[in-house]
Amino acid sequence: MRTILLLLCILTVTVPSKAQLFRDWKPGSYYDTLNKKKTGLISWYIVNAKSPKQNFIRFKPNEHTDDAKISTQNIRAFTFGTDSFVVSKSKETHFAPVLQVLANENVKLYKLLVSNGSLRLGGGSMGFGAVPAGYGSSTKLEYYVGSNLENLTLLTKKNFIEMMSLVMANKPDIQDKIKSKILRLEDMQDLLVYYRTGKMPVPPDDDVYH
């Protein structure tokens, strides 16, 4: 009995320290609601929130300072490594308001990850499909389109051509591939590579896009 109690005590002490040890910190900045910028190190977790108050980042000016928990209700936008995020005010994303900016055009494209549990993001650029390192059981990926964060439209197969043609209004070559259905909703990663590099990725069988 004493052995079991001792093990429970050890686990209680070590679990929080491991959470601190394995927390991902990346260089970043955040803008508060007054548009004041703070730069340092940021750690961010996607949370299955029942309230917007459960969405937060952790910030510290440098690796030698303590970190602070900052609610996304007090943040307008932030960067996490090479990725940029905004905090939406749309009712469509009320419980998960943090959106990744994928295309910053007049009409913008955003990505939202929703988890059934909570999860920690893996490395790399999520715009190119980095896989979240899961703490939760499953993750749903959604895309939103809008000219501002108050009015967003969920991207679906039915509205894909209409909405993405607006996003890619200044990219006629991509527009053509969208309208001709060479690029569809399920090809979003290829579309993003083309958008950012100007080149279509070559599929595994070495076929080429026409």
Side-chain angles (χ1 to χ4, degrees), residues 12-49:
T12 302
V13 172
T14 56
V15 167
S17 62
K18 285 185 178 180
Q20 288 286 337
L21 179 63
F22 293 108
R23 177 173 288 139
D24 286 337
W25 290 98
K26 294 185 180 182
S29 302
Y30 77 88
Y31 294 83
D32 64 19
T33 52
L34 297 176
N35 210 32
K36 292 182 179 179
K37 180 181 180 180
K38 290 190 177 181
T39 300
L41 296 172
I42 286 177
S43 178
W44 178 56
Y45 293 77
I46 299 172
V47 177
N48 179 21

Side-chain angles (χ1 to χ4, degrees), residues 138-208:
S138 64
T139 305
K140 180 171 67 173
L141 172 62
E142 296 177 342
Y143 296 99
Y144 287 86
V145 173
S147 56
N148 60 68
L149 290 170
E150 284 71 35
N151 298 285
L152 298 174
T153 299
L154 176 65
L155 195 62
T156 66
K157 289 184 178 180
K158 289 185 178 181
N159 67 16
F160 181 79
I161 293 177
E162 178 188 359
M163 292 292 102
M164 286 305 296
S165 293
L166 294 175
V167 174
M168 298 297 161
N170 297 323
K171 304 283 185 180
D173 50 339
I174 301 180
Q175 258 198 355
D176 290 343
K177 285 183 170 57
I178 290 171
K179 291 177 179 179
S180 61
K181 298 184 180 181
I182 293 174
L183 289 172
R184 299 164 296 177
L185 180 59
E186 52 267 37
D187 304 312
M188 183 62 77
Q189 295 306 316
D190 287 347
L191 191 157
L192 291 172
V193 171
Y194 192 25
Y195 170 72
R196 295 179 181 182
T197 67
K199 297 179 180 179
M200 287 289 286
V202 178
D205 58 3
D206 291 332
D207 286 343
V208 294

